Amino acid sequence: MFHKIKVFLWSYSITLRYFIEFSYNGKNYFGYQIQPDANSVQEELEKALSTILREEIKITGAGRTDTGVHAKKIFAHFDTEVILDDQLPHKLNSFLPPDISIKRIFPVKDDFHARFDATYRTYEYYISLEKNPFTLDSAWQLWRRSLNVDAMNEACKILFEYEDFTSFAKVKTDNKTNICKMYKAEWELNGSELKFTVSANRFLRNMVRAIVGTMVEIGAGKIKPEDLRKVIEDMNRNSAGTSAPAQGLFLVDVGYEF
């Protein structure tokens, strides 16, 4: 099925690096990253790869998603001495649970990194403005209140004035910096579905959900769009709104210069 290669140069074994493109429904997982005594996407992927390739495989993802958050398009890398064939994605999909899907696996340079070489990440957040039993696990149900989408988009423009997003960061994390460069932020209303698209070079833990929660307060008229400047300048998580529920958040793209 697979052929192991062991090439030795100056007494060192050469391994190959591969990228995986995959997606998952996060409902049944405590986030992407492995955690003790909790089911994670990373654990499922490593277990499947290790079983099929018959060696211990560790993967590094493009980022971490929190409990219940989904990913439509995400990447990870892993190293192996096995020459992979084109059937590996199909074999992995047969082995993995139905809520994780492998799109493709391809070789990259041995120093290419899924997390540190990503140039941007894009998220989408969905809000249902009418009672919808079919989006309970994929959107924030806000059909009991009215939102001013124009005011929310006015507030989006203010995000581009700043790079320090400490006010939207989860406290007590290992972040070395809270600086992020925003590329896109906009709300789009399509019938009863409200979608927030946001793209940046990097995101802090809980950042998108905190921004959405604050934007909803603006849309509901609790604070004005221009009040967002003070929220950001306070550099205090308590100044921002409550985090939006996890089920409405999707990581939809991660960019690289392959």
Side-chain angles (χ1 to χ4, degrees):
M1 180 171 63
F2 300 105
H3 303 284
K4 284 214 173 190
I5 60 168
K6 289 194 176 181
V7 181
F8 291 90
L9 181 63
W10 301 106
S11 300
Y12 290 100
S13 177
I14 295 177
T15 58
L16 304 172
R17 176 157 293 185
Y18 290 89
F19 255 46
I20 316 173
E21 180 186 339
F22 59 104
S23 60
Y24 56 86
N25 183 317
K27 178 184 176 181
N28 296 320
Y29 300 98
F30 288 84
Y32 164 79
Q33 191 174 28
I34 285 180
Q35 301 179 46
D37 303 318
N39 196 23
S40 69
V41 176
Q42 182 182 7
E43 180 182 13
E44 292 289 345
L45 287 171
E46 290 185 353
K47 181 172 63 176
L49 280 166
S50 298
T51 299
I52 293 174
L53 300 182
R54 299 180 182 178
E55 66 171 301
E56 185 178 6
I57 299 294
K58 299 295 182 183
I59 67 172
T60 300
R64 297 177 293 186
T65 55
D66 291 334
T67 300
V69 174
H70 316 290
K72 292 183 179 180
K73 184 178 182 180
I74 186 172
F75 294 87
H77 76 252
F78 67 95
D79 297 328
T80 180
E81 293 180 349
V82 177
I83 299 176
L84 305 183
D85 65 35
D86 294 338
Q87 294 302 308
L88 182 57
H90 177 74
K91 292 167 184 173
L92 276 173
N93 279 327
S94 298
F95 194 91
L96 287 164
D99 49 13
I100 301 176
S101 174
I102 306 299
K103 303 299 183 184
R104 58 181 176 139
I105 300 176
F106 54 96
V108 293
K109 295 186 298 182
D110 60 5
D111 62 347
F112 206 71
H113 200 282
R115 178 182 176 188
F116 298 128
D117 285 322
T119 57
Y120 68 85
R121 285 112 171 139
T122 302
Y123 284 89
E124 291 176 351
Y125 193 94
Y126 292 88
I127 293 176
S128 180
L129 298 178
E130 70 174 18
K131 190 174 183 181
N132 188 342
F134 302 107
T135 60
L136 291 176
D137 298 325
S138 59
W140 186 4
Q141 305 295 310
L142 282 179
W143 52 274
R144 290 185 179 91
R145 67 174 72 177
S146 177
L147 298 177
N148 185 335
V149 180
D150 290 337
M152 295 163 75
N153 272 321
E154 185 179 342
C156 282
K157 298 175 184 177
I158 295 173
L159 293 174
F160 296 96
E161 300 175 12
Y162 299 90
E163 292 189 347
D164 190 325
F165 291 98
T166 299
S167 291
F168 302 119
K170 191 170 185 177
V171 297
K172 296 182 180 180
T173 64
D174 56 358
N175 292 330
K176 294 181 179 180
T177 175
N178 290 336
I179 301 299
C180 307
K181 184 172 179 59
M182 196 72 64
Y183 298 139
K184 182 178 182 179
E186 67 177 10
W187 289 91
E188 180 183 357
L189 181 62
N190 183 14
S192 62
E193 180 184 82
L194 185 57
K195 180 179 73 173
F196 179 55
T197 304
V198 59
S199 185
N201 65 328
R202 62 189 292 265
F203 287 91
L204 311 173
R205 284 197 66 186
N206 200 58
M207 177 175 166
V208 179
R209 291 166 59 195
I211 290 176
V212 170
T214 306
M215 290 282 181
V216 166
E217 290 192 355
I218 292 170
K222 293 184 178 180
I223 60 174
K224 298 177 181 178
E226 56 267 28
D227 293 335
L228 185 60
R229 290 190 179 90
K230 184 179 185 307
V231 169
I232 298 173
E233 291 169 6
D234 280 349
M235 292 193 225
N236 187 326
R237 180 64 187 88
N238 292 327
S239 297
T242 302
S243 293
Q247 75 269 14
L249 183 58
F250 293 77
L251 175 61
V252 298
D253 196 14
V254 184
Y256 298 93
E257 295 179 357
F258 288 117

